[in-house]
């Protein structure tokens, strides 16, 4: 599974070189080019799936999530903790349509409570207008 127009597929094949934080035959992790935290690494399956809902086989999911700990270890996050995040689709503002796990850490991250969500919190009781 490969999409020649997909930037993360190009990273997975090496067409776009990155410094791998962690890599095996199934996944590759590399630092986000616009980090939101002191540690902000992206972990992707090498096969192309547009998002977590794209009929991703369970073995692929297992290999992807199994690698999270490897990335956390490589980045020194295991003691203090970290957050993983998977944006999916338009409402989540997913910008790259190749499944990826954000691994964030290196500092305290508040829980996403109403205060942190700012004006979006006013929509918490509405599904859609
Ligand atoms: P999302 O909005 O969840 O789709 O996240 C996509 C992420 O990919 C963003 O945080 C971007 O900064 C990051 N990104 C896009 N292109 C690259 C790239 N070539 N190398 C590293 N990070 C990238």
């Amino acid at each position: 599974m490969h999409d020649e127009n997909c930037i993360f597929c190009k990273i997975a094949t090496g067409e776009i070189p990155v410094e791998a934080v962690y890599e095996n035959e199934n996944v590759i992790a590399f630092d986000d080019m616009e980090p939101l935290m002191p540690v902000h690494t992206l972990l992707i399956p090498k096969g192309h799936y547009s998002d977590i809902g794209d009929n991703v086989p369970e073995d692929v999911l297992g290999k992807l999530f199994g690698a999270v700990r490897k990335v956390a270890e490589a980045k020194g996050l295991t003691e203090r903790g970290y957050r993983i995040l998977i944006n999916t689709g338009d409402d989540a503002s997913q910008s790259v349509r190749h499944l990826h796990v954000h691994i964030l850490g290196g500092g305290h991250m508040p829980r996403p409570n109403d205060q942190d969500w700012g004006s979006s919190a006013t929509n918490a009781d509405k599904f859609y207008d």
Side-chain angles (χ1 to χ4, degrees), residues 10-41:
K10 291 180 180 174
I11 289 174
T13 60
E15 186 181 339
I16 295 177
V18 292
E19 189 172 332
V21 170
Y22 174 78
E23 182 171 12
N24 64 27
E25 62 179 339
N26 305 298
V27 303
I28 183 169
F30 51 94
D31 287 334
D32 196 293
M33 67 182 185
E34 293 182 12
L36 300 173
M37 287 294 292
V39 176
H40 186 170
T41 298

Side-chain angles (χ1 to χ4, degrees), residues 49-56 86-89 94 97-100:
Y49 302 93
S50 59
D51 60 45
I52 194 82
D54 187 16
N55 296 315
V56 189
I86 303 177
N87 291 320
T88 306
Q94 183 184 2
R97 299 297 170 123
H98 180 126
L99 172 60
H100 54 280

